[in-house]
Each structure stands twice: as C-alpha cells, then as structure tokens.
C-alpha cells in the first residue's frame, strides 16, 4: 500500500485516567471509561516517500493548506513514526499530514485523536494488520494514554488496575448500543499551558488523590451498569463527580494546575439549571476549560440552545458516540 488515510476520533472520559504508574509508557494508575466521539476527529494521511530521505511531517492550517508541522509537534510525530516503523520492521521514510476538525490542545483529546490516527494509518501503510489491543498499545506509546481508547468505537474501558495487563482495552458497548449525544461548549480556544502529562505526574501529590481513588471501584461499577442499561441519569452524578475531582486534584497538586476558566463555571451552573428545569443533561471536562454536556438525542437541541446563549460560550460542537477509526479522503 503506498498511501493510507484515516479519520480517528477524540473521546470523552466518563471515568478519568489521571495519574500514571509509568508516564513514559502511559500506564495508568486507575482504569478509565470513555465514549468515543464521531465529529471531533483527526484525519491522518500517510505515504511512503519514494527514494529515501527524511520524513515529511505536515499539518493542515485553518484554511486546509498543508505546511510543515511546528517543531514540538513534529518531534512527537517523528518519535511515534520511529516506534511504528520498529514494530513493522520497515525503515522507510514517511510523509504524514494531519488535520483536526476541532480545536487542538484545549482539553478536547486532540492528542488521543492524533496519535490513534497515526497509529492506525501508519501501521496499515506498513502492512501490519493489528488487533485493537495491539493498536491501543502502539497509540498510547506516544505518551497519550487516552489514545488507547480511541482505536475503537462506542464505550470503552481501559486499564484494569492491578491486573498484569494494565494496557488492555475493552469495548463495553458498541456505538449502536446507545445514541448518546455530547454538546461541547467551547469557552476557551487558547492552548493550555500545562500538559496532561504534567498533570498525571503531579496528581498523586494532591491530598485529594487517595480519597478519589477510594471512590473509583464504585464509580466504575455505576458507569458500566448505566452504559449497559442506557441510563444517563444513573451515571450522571458520578460523571460530574469525576470531572470535578479531576480538577480538584489538579488544583491541589503541587504546584497547582488550573485548567478551568470563568466560562467553565458558568456552563456548569447552566447545566444544573437545565436539570432543575427538567432537562436531563450532565457535564464533564477533561484537562481543559471546555465542557462536554451529555444528553439523549431528544434533549440535544434544548441543550445547544441553552449553551449558545451564554456570553462565555464561543461556539458549540454537536457530537455524539462514534464507531472509531474509519477511512477518510486523503489530505494529499
Ligand atoms: O491521555 P492523556 O495523557 O492526554 O491524558 C488524558 C487525561 C484526561 O483527558 C483528563 C482524562 C482521560 O481519561 O481522558
């Protein structure tokens, strides 16, 4: 195969991965559960460069035009290409181009989408036919652990604590099981200044870390059961607790990390008011200021209408559960 092109999704964590046993290999301290998205994707096109030479790593600008990727991102991609080449046993130069359909580095899992897209596109390009666990392992070897959950669709659990294989992923339910929607309120598009990786590193130093860990076995059970029963209200409180405690731990890490902005609190307040008015919607955030609001399809338009009218909300992305990586039109 001389060229492959794949769209791989971001995901939103219902139970958060926060804290690592091994940061380099992104081995989590606790299991996490996410929902794979369908609109927030990274498109990655990869081709073997004829005639040897260097890799060519490009990124699409807002206008869709490809340009050389900036240094730090290009280095992370090049390191990922090296790992993928080593796995395939093929030392060939590769051209890759990526385009995100959503804002990058603002806590919307752009690294999960990006590194899973690279893993899927490049392994296919190099002729490997891998199962989900192998792909997940390669995706998270980038250092973005949550990328492991983006190689498959639906509702996904990753990282069985205490088991020998803490890299394992498990599809709890396919996308067709439950058409859950995610209305994402964008309140800040400035790239965050502290990476999730640094957040994982500092997390165990928070005085709240142990208290949240003690809650996790129950929360995992609640979320697994709610997914099986397609019952958002049954897991609503738990997913909000998870989001708030992720940020509580970040804010009480040493030194503290503040991912929230004023808009975050206003969206959370609006979601509570929606519920008081009878709209079953629940909020969650990853490591950023922007807020995912989960609801059933029947309530999606009401949720969107309530969020767009908030002055802090720059825009809203309507997303929902997706089926995982898929072929995409090539970028070059
Ligand atoms: O995969 P990373 O290293 O970018 O960390 C992801 C951390 C959270 O998004 C906050 C939680 C999660 O489980 O996705």
């Amino acid at each position: 195969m001389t060229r492959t092109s794949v769209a791989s999704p971001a995901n939103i964590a219902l139970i958060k991965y926060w804290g690592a046993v091994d940061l380099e290999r992104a081995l989590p301290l606790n299991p996490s559960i996410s929902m794979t998205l369908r609109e927030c994707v990274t498109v990655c096109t990869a081709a073997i460069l004829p005639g040897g030479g260097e890799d060519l790593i490009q990124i699409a600008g807002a206008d869709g035009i490809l340009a050389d990727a900036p240094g730090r991102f290009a280095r992370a991609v090049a390191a990922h290409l090296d790992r993928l080449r080593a796995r395939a046993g093929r030392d060939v130069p590769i051209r890759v181009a990526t385009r995100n359909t959503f804002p990058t580095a603002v806590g919307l899992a752009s690294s999960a989408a990006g590194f899973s897209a690279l893993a899927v596109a490049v392994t296919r390009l190099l002729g490997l036919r891998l199962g989900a666990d192998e792909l997940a392992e390669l995706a998270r070897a980038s250092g973005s652990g949550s990328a492991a959950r983006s190689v498959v669709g639906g509702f996904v659990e990753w990282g069985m604590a205490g088991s020998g294989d803490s890299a394992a992923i498990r599809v709890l339910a396919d996308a067709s099981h439950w058409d859950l929607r995610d209305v994402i309120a964008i309140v800040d598009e400035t790239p965050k200044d502290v990476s999730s990786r640094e957040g994982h590193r500092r997390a165990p130093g928070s005085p709240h870390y142990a208290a949240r860990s003690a809650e996790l076995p129950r929360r995992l059970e609640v979320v697994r059961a709610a997914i099986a029963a397609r019952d958002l209200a049954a897991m609503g409180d738990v997913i909000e607790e998870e989001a708030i405690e992720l940020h509580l731990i970040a804010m009480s890490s040493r030194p503290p990390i503040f991912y929230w902005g004023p808009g975050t609190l206003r969206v959370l307040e609006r979601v509570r008011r929606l519920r008081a008015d009878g709209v079953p919607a629940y909020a969650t955030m990853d490591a950023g200021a922007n807020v995912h609001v989960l609801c059933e399809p029947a309530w999606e338009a009401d949720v969107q209408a309530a969020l767009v009218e908030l002055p802090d909300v720059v825009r809203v992305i309507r997303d929902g559960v997706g089926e995982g990586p898929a072929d995409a039109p090539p970028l070059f």
Side-chain angles (χ1 to χ4, degrees), residues 65-149:
I65 294 176
L66 296 179
D68 284 351
R72 216 166 126 237
F73 177 70
R75 282 192 296 280
V77 171
H80 204 46
L81 290 178
D82 286 343
R83 281 186 289 269
L84 299 170
R85 274 188 286 251
R87 175 67 178 77
R90 292 187 63 187
D91 191 16
V92 286
I94 294 173
R95 176 182 178 187
V96 290
T98 67
R99 182 176 71 82
N100 283 357
T101 61
F102 62 108
T104 301
V106 297
L108 296 179
S110 54
S111 52
F115 287 112
S116 62
L118 268 167
V120 175
V122 175
T123 52
R124 278 190 198 168
L125 177 75
L126 299 179
L128 292 172
R129 292 282 168 270
L130 302 179
D133 272 320
E134 280 180 298
L135 273 174
E137 189 174 349
L138 281 172
R140 85 179 154 74
S142 63
S144 169
S146 58
R149 299 187 312 241

Side-chain angles (χ1 to χ4, degrees), residues 52-71:
E54 302 274 295
D55 293 328
L56 176 59
I57 298 166
Q58 297 179 305
I59 190 163
D63 50 9
I65 294 176
L66 296 179
D68 284 351

Side-chain angles (χ1 to χ4, degrees), residues 39-56:
E39 299 298 331
C40 291
V41 300
T42 296
V43 177
C44 174
T45 304
I48 295 175
L49 283 168
E54 302 274 295
D55 293 328
L56 176 59

Side-chain angles (χ1 to χ4, degrees), residues 14-15 33 157 172 178 215-242:
L14 307 173
I15 299 288
I33 297 178
E157 181 162 344
L172 297 173
W178 189 13
E215 288 287 324
L216 274 173
R218 181 190 67 87
R219 287 182 185 168
L220 285 157
E221 272 311 310
V222 166
V223 171
R224 288 185 198 115
I227 289 169
R230 298 185 202 93
D231 187 347
L232 178 59
M235 68 175 176
D237 288 346
V238 161
I239 65 172
E240 290 200 347
E241 286 163 17
E242 267 294 285

